[in-house]
């Protein structure tokens, strides 16, 4: 057998040798057929890890000859050259090594940002009558918005936005794509608010996006339903509507069910450390006159974020239209509220509703500062009294540590209401650096 194989092996060796024993080290590093360097170089490009010294140096000629001879012998027996061999195993080995070197990290510091940008269709001078018209111009506001976003992109932040209008959504897609970000966007609004919705921007150089979900929040859990009205009740209700000209008031459950607000979630894996975590972004319905509705959606949003994250550390951020101490805020931060709470929605007869969450979530700003910011929303509509309070939050699961938060101004230090010369929205941007533990 050796007498037959040896000539074939020698011929294959002469044909394949250039791929394994290059004349220069640069040719070796760039060769796509290199087993050690080529495959690992591709893995380095994909995972962003420095290659170990032993794998970046070209092999000596004796080793290359040995490899070539071994492969040539296999090729003579099975009838194919090295160019025909699959590269799967070579790449997998390199990728496995790169992943193993990063899986040892115990934590990852992630910067999370949430910002209600104020829809381009909701800034009419006839609405914000106490603001300068030039500060309300959508194009002027958009330019100021990009300045704020550029600063966060420089920090490699994961950015959640609310009130993204259809007019701005396309422009923001281009803006983020040009900077190496992936933008997930969901619009659900109506014509008057520019079909506004929410968006989540993730830097692809830093994270692998392993999971994305977009859901209508009121669909994420089956809500209790009231018993169907009897014929007499329908008759009375119809005649009362005709007499008064007013529709019968909807219950909290009906109002909550009819909200179209979507919530989005993404699982992210840090390419450098291998640490994974989940991020959810939400804009709560502005129904402060119906605290039961706000409580229902608070439970839905927090339960959704925790369920989607599973065993991963979780972040829930956005504009919740909740003040500290409101029923929805208490529910998220304590894990549930009693049925006797003023904002607890009473379940219809024969139905059950449990407000309990899998775990309470903490506000990053309260953890870092001991209290919530003085305000995150500073607005005055027409002749209404100015509204200055905290409505925006970055909530984190128990294992997430808050390393730092961006300092926010006090109402006495700003000239409101917003939008203003320096602030393009009626909300201000929140940012926190979080230490995410490894699993």
């Amino acid at each position: 057998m050796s007498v037959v194989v040896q000539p074939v092996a020698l011929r294959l060796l002469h044909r394949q040798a250039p791929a394994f024993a290059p004349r220069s080290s640069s040719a070796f590093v760039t060769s796509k057929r290199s087993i050690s360097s080529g495959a690992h170089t591709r893995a380095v490009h994909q995972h962003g890890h420095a290659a170990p010294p032993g794998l970046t140096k070209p092999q000596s000629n004796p080793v290359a000859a040995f490899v070539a001879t071994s492969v040539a012998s296999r090729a003579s027996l099975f009838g194919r050259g090295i160019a025909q061999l699959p590269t799967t195993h070579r790449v997998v080995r390199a990728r496995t090594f790169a992943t193993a070197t990063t899986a040892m990290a115990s934590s990852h510091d992630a910067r999370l940002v949430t910002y209600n940008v104020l829809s381009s269709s909701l800034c009419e001078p006839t609405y914000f009558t106490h603001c300068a018209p030039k500060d309300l111009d959508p194009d002027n506001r958009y330019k100021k918005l990009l300045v704020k976003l550029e600063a966060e992109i420089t920090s490699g932040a994961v950015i959640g936005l609310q009130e993204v209008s259809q007019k701005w959504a396309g422009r923001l897609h281009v803006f983020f794509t040009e900077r190496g970000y992936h933008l997930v966007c969901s619009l659900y609004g109506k014509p008057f608010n520019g079909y506004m919705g929410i968006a989540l921007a993730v830097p692809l150089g830093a994270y692998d996006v392993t999971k994305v979900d977009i859901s209508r929040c009121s669909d994420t859990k089956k809500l209790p339903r009231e018993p169907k009205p009897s014929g007499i009740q329908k008759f009375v209700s119809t005649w009362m509507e005709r007499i008064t000209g007013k529709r019968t008031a909807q219950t909290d459950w009906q109002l909550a069910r009819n909200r179209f607000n979507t919530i989005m979630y993404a699982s992210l894996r840090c390419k450098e450390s291998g640490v994974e975590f989940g991020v959810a972004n939400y804009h709560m319905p502005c129904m402060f006159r119906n605290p039961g509705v706000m409580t229902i959606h608070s439970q839905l949003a927090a339960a959704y974020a925790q369920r989607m994250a599973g065993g991963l550390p979780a972040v829930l951020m956005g504009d919740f239209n909740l003040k500290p101490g409101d029923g929805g805020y208490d529910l998220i931060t304590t894990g549930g509220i009693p049925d006797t709470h003023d904002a607890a929605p009473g379940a219809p007869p024969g139905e059950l509703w449990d407000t309990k969450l899998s775990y309470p979530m903490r506000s990053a700003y309260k953890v870092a500062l001991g209290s919530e910011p003085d305000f995150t929303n500073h607005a005055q509509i027409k002749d209404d009294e100015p509204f200055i309070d905290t409505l925006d939050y970055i909530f984190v699961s128990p294992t997430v540590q808050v390393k730092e938060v961006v300092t926010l101004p006090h109402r006495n230090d700003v000239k409101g209401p917003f939008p203003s010369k320096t602030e393009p929205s009626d909300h201000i941007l929140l940012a926190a650096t979080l230490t995410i533990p490894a699993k």
Side-chain angles (χ1 to χ4, degrees), residues 127 252 255 259 283-295 297-298 319-323 326-328 342-343 377 381 384-385 387 389-391:
Y127 195 65
D252 286 343
L255 289 170
R259 299 305 97 188
H283 186 192
M284 192 85 75
C286 186
M287 301 195 71
F288 53 88
R289 292 186 178 87
N290 301 87
V293 175
M294 303 297 288
T295 301
H297 272 259
S298 298
D319 173 6
F320 291 85
N321 281 309
L322 298 169
K323 295 183 293 184
D326 285 352
D342 292 341
N377 180 225
I381 308 303
D384 293 348
E385 289 295 319
F387 180 87
D389 217 320
T390 297
L391 301 177

mmCIF file of all heavy atoms in Angstrom, residues 127 252 255 259 283-295 297-298 319-323 326-328 342-343 377 381 384-385 387 389-391:
data_model
loop_
_atom_site.group_PDB
_atom_site.id
_atom_site.type_symbol
_atom_site.label_atom_id
_atom_site.label_comp_id
_atom_site.label_asym_id
_atom_site.label_seq_id
_atom_site.Cartn_x
_atom_site.Cartn_y
_atom_site.Cartn_z
ATOM 1 N N TYR A 127 -49.916 74.966 21.598
ATOM 2 C CA TYR A 127 -50.013 73.996 22.692
ATOM 3 C C TYR A 127 -49.029 74.356 23.798
ATOM 4 O O TYR A 127 -49.401 74.505 24.953
ATOM 5 C CB TYR A 127 -49.738 72.600 22.140
ATOM 6 C CG TYR A 127 -50.139 71.472 23.050
ATOM 7 C CD1 TYR A 127 -51.470 71.240 23.379
ATOM 8 C CD2 TYR A 127 -49.181 70.605 23.583
ATOM 9 C CE1 TYR A 127 -51.844 70.192 24.204
ATOM 10 C CE2 TYR A 127 -49.540 69.554 24.396
ATOM 11 C CZ TYR A 127 -50.874 69.355 24.715
ATOM 12 O OH TYR A 127 -51.230 68.315 25.529
ATOM 13 N N ASP A 252 -61.871 50.355 34.273
ATOM 14 C CA ASP A 252 -60.412 50.343 34.193
ATOM 15 C C ASP A 252 -59.920 49.223 33.284
ATOM 16 O O ASP A 252 -58.958 49.398 32.529
ATOM 17 C CB ASP A 252 -59.805 50.177 35.594
ATOM 18 C CG ASP A 252 -59.920 51.453 36.425
ATOM 19 O OD1 ASP A 252 -60.163 52.532 35.836
ATOM 20 O OD2 ASP A 252 -59.789 51.360 37.661
ATOM 21 N N LEU A 255 -60.520 50.170 29.617
ATOM 22 C CA LEU A 255 -59.574 51.197 29.205
ATOM 23 C C LEU A 255 -58.167 50.625 29.027
ATOM 24 O O LEU A 255 -57.462 50.945 28.064
ATOM 25 C CB LEU A 255 -59.552 52.329 30.239
ATOM 26 C CG LEU A 255 -60.793 53.222 30.300
ATOM 27 C CD1 LEU A 255 -60.737 54.123 31.530
ATOM 28 C CD2 LEU A 255 -60.910 54.062 29.035
ATOM 29 N N ARG A 259 -55.693 50.150 25.186
ATOM 30 C CA ARG A 259 -54.483 50.934 24.914
ATOM 31 C C ARG A 259 -53.612 50.185 23.900
ATOM 32 O O ARG A 259 -53.395 48.982 24.026
ATOM 33 C CB ARG A 259 -53.670 51.169 26.183
ATOM 34 C CG ARG A 259 -54.369 51.935 27.303
ATOM 35 C CD ARG A 259 -54.907 53.270 26.859
ATOM 36 N NE ARG A 259 -56.327 53.183 26.534
ATOM 37 C CZ ARG A 259 -57.033 54.140 25.978
ATOM 38 N NH1 ARG A 259 -56.451 55.269 25.639
ATOM 39 N NH2 ARG A 259 -58.322 53.985 25.745
ATOM 40 N N HIS A 283 -43.370 53.094 27.010
ATOM 41 C CA HIS A 283 -43.986 54.396 27.245
ATOM 42 C C HIS A 283 -45.407 54.144 27.731
ATOM 43 O O HIS A 283 -46.272 53.725 26.964
ATOM 44 C CB HIS A 283 -44.003 55.234 25.958
ATOM 45 C CG HIS A 283 -44.491 56.634 26.170
ATOM 46 N ND1 HIS A 283 -44.817 57.471 25.122
ATOM 47 C CD2 HIS A 283 -44.724 57.358 27.306
ATOM 48 C CE1 HIS A 283 -45.214 58.645 25.592
ATOM 49 N NE2 HIS A 283 -45.169 58.583 26.920
ATOM 50 N N MET A 284 -45.621 54.388 28.998
ATOM 51 C CA MET A 284 -46.910 54.102 29.634
ATOM 52 C C MET A 284 -48.001 55.039 29.118
ATOM 53 O O MET A 284 -47.738 56.202 28.816
ATOM 54 C CB MET A 284 -46.764 54.277 31.146
ATOM 55 C CG MET A 284 -47.928 53.733 31.956
ATOM 56 S SD MET A 284 -47.730 51.986 32.280
ATOM 57 C CE MET A 284 -46.480 52.027 33.552
ATOM 58 N N PRO A 285 -49.242 54.538 29.006
ATOM 59 C CA PRO A 285 -50.350 55.435 28.660
ATOM 60 C C PRO A 285 -50.442 56.576 29.669
ATOM 61 O O PRO A 285 -50.231 56.377 30.866
ATOM 62 C CB PRO A 285 -51.580 54.529 28.738
ATOM 63 C CG PRO A 285 -51.054 53.155 28.567
ATOM 64 C CD PRO A 285 -49.683 53.151 29.186
ATOM 65 N N CYS A 286 -50.752 57.772 29.176
ATOM 66 C CA CYS A 286 -50.888 58.926 30.065
ATOM 67 C C CYS A 286 -52.342 59.013 30.530
ATOM 68 O O CYS A 286 -53.154 59.747 29.966
ATOM 69 C CB CYS A 286 -50.477 60.202 29.338
ATOM 70 S SG CYS A 286 -50.459 61.654 30.396
ATOM 71 N N MET A 287 -52.647 58.226 31.547
ATOM 72 C CA MET A 287 -54.013 58.162 32.063
ATOM 73 C C MET A 287 -54.003 58.340 33.574
ATOM 74 O O MET A 287 -54.543 57.530 34.332
ATOM 75 C CB MET A 287 -54.666 56.825 31.668
ATOM 76 C CG MET A 287 -54.736 56.597 30.162
ATOM 77 S SD MET A 287 -55.868 55.273 29.710
ATOM 78 C CE MET A 287 -57.446 56.035 30.067
ATOM 79 N N PHE A 288 -53.378 59.431 34.012
ATOM 80 C CA PHE A 288 -53.232 59.673 35.444
ATOM 81 C C PHE A 288 -54.571 59.896 36.143
ATOM 82 O O PHE A 288 -54.670 59.773 37.355
ATOM 83 C CB PHE A 288 -52.306 60.870 35.682
ATOM 84 C CG PHE A 288 -52.698 62.119 34.943
ATOM 85 C CD1 PHE A 288 -53.585 63.013 35.496
ATOM 86 C CD2 PHE A 288 -52.173 62.377 33.692
ATOM 87 C CE1 PHE A 288 -53.951 64.175 34.822
ATOM 88 C CE2 PHE A 288 -52.532 63.546 33.000
ATOM 89 C CZ PHE A 288 -53.427 64.438 33.564
ATOM 90 N N ARG A 289 -55.602 60.211 35.354
ATOM 91 C CA ARG A 289 -56.935 60.360 35.956
ATOM 92 C C ARG A 289 -57.578 59.007 36.237
ATOM 93 O O ARG A 289 -58.636 58.941 36.868
ATOM 94 C CB ARG A 289 -57.840 61.192 35.039
ATOM 95 C CG ARG A 289 -57.426 62.649 34.920
ATOM 96 C CD ARG A 289 -58.442 63.449 34.112
ATOM 97 N NE ARG A 289 -58.079 64.856 34.024
ATOM 98 C CZ ARG A 289 -57.287 65.378 33.099
ATOM 99 N NH1 ARG A 289 -56.768 64.570 32.156
ATOM 100 N NH2 ARG A 289 -57.015 66.665 33.075
ATOM 101 N N ASN A 290 -56.958 57.954 35.740
ATOM 102 C CA ASN A 290 -57.435 56.583 35.971
ATOM 103 C C ASN A 290 -56.297 55.765 36.571
ATOM 104 O O ASN A 290 -55.643 54.977 35.853
ATOM 105 C CB ASN A 290 -57.922 55.946 34.669
ATOM 106 C CG ASN A 290 -59.052 56.715 34.022
ATOM 107 O OD1 ASN A 290 -58.837 57.649 33.253
ATOM 108 N ND2 ASN A 290 -60.280 56.323 34.331
ATOM 109 N N PRO A 291 -56.011 55.945 37.856
ATOM 110 C CA PRO A 291 -54.860 55.264 38.467
ATOM 111 C C PRO A 291 -54.919 53.744 38.350
ATOM 112 O O PRO A 291 -53.870 53.091 38.297
ATOM 113 C CB PRO A 291 -54.911 55.712 39.929
ATOM 114 C CG PRO A 291 -56.301 56.228 40.140
ATOM 115 C CD PRO A 291 -56.746 56.770 38.830
ATOM 116 N N GLY A 292 -56.140 53.193 38.308
ATOM 117 C CA GLY A 292 -56.239 51.740 38.152
ATOM 118 C C GLY A 292 -55.658 51.272 36.826
ATOM 119 O O GLY A 292 -55.009 50.221 36.750
ATOM 120 N N VAL A 293 -55.879 52.039 35.769
ATOM 121 C CA VAL A 293 -55.329 51.707 34.450
ATOM 122 C C VAL A 293 -53.808 51.760 34.491
ATOM 123 O O VAL A 293 -53.120 50.884 33.951
ATOM 124 C CB VAL A 293 -55.872 52.668 33.373
ATOM 125 C CG1 VAL A 293 -55.214 52.395 32.022
ATOM 126 C CG2 VAL A 293 -57.378 52.544 33.259
ATOM 127 N N MET A 294 -53.268 52.784 35.152
ATOM 128 C CA MET A 294 -51.820 52.910 35.256
ATOM 129 C C MET A 294 -51.215 51.741 36.036
ATOM 130 O O MET A 294 -50.138 51.237 35.694
ATOM 131 C CB MET A 294 -51.470 54.234 35.937
ATOM 132 C CG MET A 294 -52.029 55.466 35.248
ATOM 133 S SD MET A 294 -51.385 55.689 33.589
ATOM 134 C CE MET A 294 -49.722 56.197 33.950
ATOM 135 N N THR A 295 -51.924 51.312 37.071
ATOM 136 C CA THR A 295 -51.442 50.172 37.863
ATOM 137 C C THR A 295 -51.459 48.897 37.037
ATOM 138 O O THR A 295 -50.521 48.086 37.092
ATOM 139 C CB THR A 295 -52.308 49.995 39.125
ATOM 140 O OG1 THR A 295 -52.255 51.190 39.900
ATOM 141 C CG2 THR A 295 -51.815 48.825 39.966
ATOM 142 N N HIS A 297 -51.161 48.587 33.780
ATOM 143 C CA HIS A 297 -50.077 48.611 32.797
ATOM 144 C C HIS A 297 -48.710 48.536 33.460
ATOM 145 O O HIS A 297 -47.751 48.019 32.863
ATOM 146 C CB HIS A 297 -50.200 49.840 31.903
ATOM 147 C CG HIS A 297 -51.067 49.599 30.705
ATOM 148 N ND1 HIS A 297 -50.572 49.356 29.447
ATOM 149 C CD2 HIS A 297 -52.421 49.530 30.596
ATOM 150 C CE1 HIS A 297 -51.562 49.164 28.598
ATOM 151 N NE2 HIS A 297 -52.705 49.269 29.271
ATOM 152 N N SER A 298 -48.580 49.018 34.675
ATOM 153 C CA SER A 298 -47.321 48.867 35.399
ATOM 154 C C SER A 298 -47.026 47.402 35.654
ATOM 155 O O SER A 298 -45.888 46.935 35.487
ATOM 156 C CB SER A 298 -47.384 49.629 36.732
ATOM 157 O OG SER A 298 -47.568 51.011 36.530
ATOM 158 N N ASP A 319 -40.597 56.114 29.841
ATOM 159 C CA ASP A 319 -41.466 57.138 30.419
ATOM 160 C C ASP A 319 -42.708 56.424 30.929
ATOM 161 O O ASP A 319 -43.533 55.951 30.148
ATOM 162 C CB ASP A 319 -41.825 58.175 29.346
ATOM 163 C CG ASP A 319 -42.858 59.182 29.830
ATOM 164 O OD1 ASP A 319 -43.219 59.165 31.022
ATOM 165 O OD2 ASP A 319 -43.320 59.996 28.998
ATOM 166 N N PHE A 320 -42.859 56.368 32.257
ATOM 167 C CA PHE A 320 -43.942 55.598 32.850
ATOM 168 C C PHE A 320 -45.134 56.460 33.258
ATOM 169 O O PHE A 320 -46.148 55.926 33.704
ATOM 170 C CB PHE A 320 -43.416 54.820 34.065
ATOM 171 C CG PHE A 320 -42.463 53.719 33.684
ATOM 172 C CD1 PHE A 320 -41.121 53.989 33.496
ATOM 173 C CD2 PHE A 320 -42.910 52.433 33.478
ATOM 174 C CE1 PHE A 320 -40.232 52.993 33.120
ATOM 175 C CE2 PHE A 320 -42.043 51.418 33.102
ATOM 176 C CZ PHE A 320 -40.693 51.702 32.921
ATOM 177 N N ASN A 321 -45.014 57.763 33.112
ATOM 178 C CA ASN A 321 -46.098 58.663 33.516
ATOM 179 C C ASN A 321 -46.554 58.394 34.952
ATOM 180 O O ASN A 321 -47.722 58.579 35.300
ATOM 181 C CB ASN A 321 -47.280 58.558 32.542
ATOM 182 C CG ASN A 321 -47.034 59.342 31.263
ATOM 183 O OD1 ASN A 321 -46.679 60.517 31.304
ATOM 184 N ND2 ASN A 321 -47.208 58.688 30.126
ATOM 185 N N LEU A 322 -45.623 57.945 35.766
ATOM 186 C CA LEU A 322 -45.877 57.661 37.179
ATOM 187 C C LEU A 322 -44.993 58.545 38.034
ATOM 188 O O LEU A 322 -43.791 58.673 37.764
ATOM 189 C CB LEU A 322 -45.578 56.197 37.513
ATOM 190 C CG LEU A 322 -46.382 55.110 36.832
ATOM 191 C CD1 LEU A 322 -45.738 53.747 37.100
ATOM 192 C CD2 LEU A 322 -47.824 55.112 37.308
ATOM 193 N N LYS A 323 -45.556 59.126 39.055
ATOM 194 C CA LYS A 323 -44.758 59.866 40.026
ATOM 195 C C LYS A 323 -44.347 58.915 41.152
ATOM 196 O O LYS A 323 -45.030 57.918 41.421
ATOM 197 C CB LYS A 323 -45.573 61.040 40.584
ATOM 198 C CG LYS A 323 -45.931 62.097 39.553
ATOM 199 C CD LYS A 323 -46.678 63.266 40.172
ATOM 200 C CE LYS A 323 -48.049 62.852 40.661
ATOM 201 N NZ LYS A 323 -48.830 64.012 41.185
ATOM 202 N N ASP A 326 -46.894 56.777 43.400
ATOM 203 C CA ASP A 326 -48.106 56.317 42.724
ATOM 204 C C ASP A 326 -48.221 54.798 42.835
ATOM 205 O O ASP A 326 -47.229 54.099 43.079
ATOM 206 C CB ASP A 326 -48.088 56.727 41.249
ATOM 207 C CG ASP A 326 -48.370 58.211 41.041
ATOM 208 O OD1 ASP A 326 -48.732 58.876 42.025
ATOM 209 O OD2 ASP A 326 -48.225 58.683 39.894
ATOM 210 N N GLY A 327 -49.429 54.303 42.629
ATOM 211 C CA GLY A 327 -49.651 52.869 42.777
ATOM 212 C C GLY A 327 -48.776 52.033 41.863
ATOM 213 O O GLY A 327 -48.216 51.009 42.281
ATOM 214 N N GLY A 328 -48.641 52.448 40.595
ATOM 215 C CA GLY A 328 -47.808 51.704 39.657
ATOM 216 C C GLY A 328 -46.341 51.710 40.056
ATOM 217 O O GLY A 328 -45.639 50.702 39.921
ATOM 218 N N ASP A 342 -55.233 52.325 47.128
ATOM 219 C CA ASP A 342 -56.139 53.210 46.391
ATOM 220 C C ASP A 342 -56.056 53.009 44.882
ATOM 221 O O ASP A 342 -57.049 53.201 44.171
ATOM 222 C CB ASP A 342 -55.829 54.675 46.720
ATOM 223 C CG ASP A 342 -56.169 55.027 48.149
ATOM 224 O OD1 ASP A 342 -56.961 54.282 48.760
ATOM 225 O OD2 ASP A 342 -55.643 56.038 48.660
ATOM 226 N N ALA A 343 -54.877 52.635 44.381
ATOM 227 C CA ALA A 343 -54.698 52.481 42.938
ATOM 228 C C ALA A 343 -54.836 51.033 42.468
ATOM 229 O O ALA A 343 -54.622 50.753 41.287
ATOM 230 C CB ALA A 343 -53.327 53.013 42.538
ATOM 231 N N ASN A 377 -39.620 65.737 33.922
ATOM 232 C CA ASN A 377 -40.557 66.354 32.980
ATOM 233 C C ASN A 377 -40.887 67.768 33.476
ATOM 234 O O ASN A 377 -41.273 67.952 34.632
ATOM 235 C CB ASN A 377 -41.826 65.515 32.879
ATOM 236 C CG ASN A 377 -42.859 66.097 31.922
ATOM 237 O OD1 ASN A 377 -44.049 66.159 32.239
ATOM 238 N ND2 ASN A 377 -42.430 66.516 30.748
ATOM 239 N N ILE A 381 -48.743 73.400 29.545
ATOM 240 C CA ILE A 381 -49.634 73.364 28.390
ATOM 241 C C ILE A 381 -50.643 74.500 28.494
ATOM 242 O O ILE A 381 -51.403 74.584 29.469
ATOM 243 C CB ILE A 381 -50.362 72.009 28.304
ATOM 244 C CG1 ILE A 381 -49.358 70.847 28.373
ATOM 245 C CG2 ILE A 381 -51.205 71.940 27.046
ATOM 246 C CD1 ILE A 381 -48.292 70.871 27.316
ATOM 247 N N ASP A 384 -52.563 75.929 31.683
ATOM 248 C CA ASP A 384 -52.496 75.028 32.833
ATOM 249 C C ASP A 384 -51.318 75.403 33.733
ATOM 250 O O ASP A 384 -50.376 76.101 33.320
ATOM 251 C CB ASP A 384 -52.311 73.574 32.365
ATOM 252 C CG ASP A 384 -53.534 73.048 31.628
ATOM 253 O OD1 ASP A 384 -54.587 73.725 31.680
ATOM 254 O OD2 ASP A 384 -53.428 71.989 30.992
ATOM 255 N N GLU A 385 -51.388 74.927 34.948
ATOM 256 C CA GLU A 385 -50.270 75.119 35.861
ATOM 257 C C GLU A 385 -49.056 74.328 35.359
ATOM 258 O O GLU A 385 -49.210 73.259 34.753
ATOM 259 C CB GLU A 385 -50.641 74.647 37.265
ATOM 260 C CG GLU A 385 -51.645 75.540 37.967
ATOM 261 C CD GLU A 385 -51.082 76.924 38.250
ATOM 262 O OE1 GLU A 385 -49.894 77.003 38.658
ATOM 263 O OE2 GLU A 385 -51.812 77.915 38.057
ATOM 264 N N PHE A 387 -46.205 71.703 35.077
ATOM 265 C CA PHE A 387 -46.016 70.369 35.650
ATOM 266 C C PHE A 387 -44.525 70.106 35.733
ATOM 267 O O PHE A 387 -43.814 70.102 34.710
ATOM 268 C CB PHE A 387 -46.687 69.292 34.795
ATOM 269 C CG PHE A 387 -46.514 67.904 35.351
ATOM 270 C CD1 PHE A 387 -47.402 67.409 36.291
ATOM 271 C CD2 PHE A 387 -45.443 67.114 34.958
ATOM 272 C CE1 PHE A 387 -47.233 66.135 36.833
ATOM 273 C CE2 PHE A 387 -45.260 65.839 35.492
ATOM 274 C CZ PHE A 387 -46.167 65.357 36.424
ATOM 275 N N ASP A 389 -42.168 67.256 37.591
ATOM 276 C CA ASP A 389 -42.072 66.071 38.452
ATOM 277 C C ASP A 389 -41.319 64.970 37.723
ATOM 278 O O ASP A 389 -40.964 65.091 36.537
ATOM 279 C CB ASP A 389 -43.463 65.573 38.858
ATOM 280 C CG ASP A 389 -43.489 65.040 40.292
ATOM 281 O OD1 ASP A 389 -42.522 64.363 40.687
ATOM 282 O OD2 ASP A 389 -44.485 65.305 41.007
ATOM 283 N N THR A 390 -41.110 63.869 38.430
ATOM 284 C CA THR A 390 -40.384 62.725 37.881
ATOM 285 C C THR A 390 -41.356 61.701 37.315
ATOM 286 O O THR A 390 -42.256 61.233 38.015
ATOM 287 C CB THR A 390 -39.506 62.073 38.965
ATOM 288 O OG1 THR A 390 -38.528 63.011 39.396
ATOM 289 C CG2 THR A 390 -38.816 60.821 38.442
ATOM 290 N N LEU A 391 -41.163 61.363 36.045
ATOM 291 C CA LEU A 391 -42.012 60.384 35.350
ATOM 292 C C LEU A 391 -41.189 59.295 34.670
ATOM 293 O O LEU A 391 -41.749 58.272 34.272
ATOM 294 C CB LEU A 391 -42.879 61.076 34.288
ATOM 295 C CG LEU A 391 -43.831 62.180 34.755
ATOM 296 C CD1 LEU A 391 -44.550 62.783 33.547
ATOM 297 C CD2 LEU A 391 -44.844 61.635 35.757
#
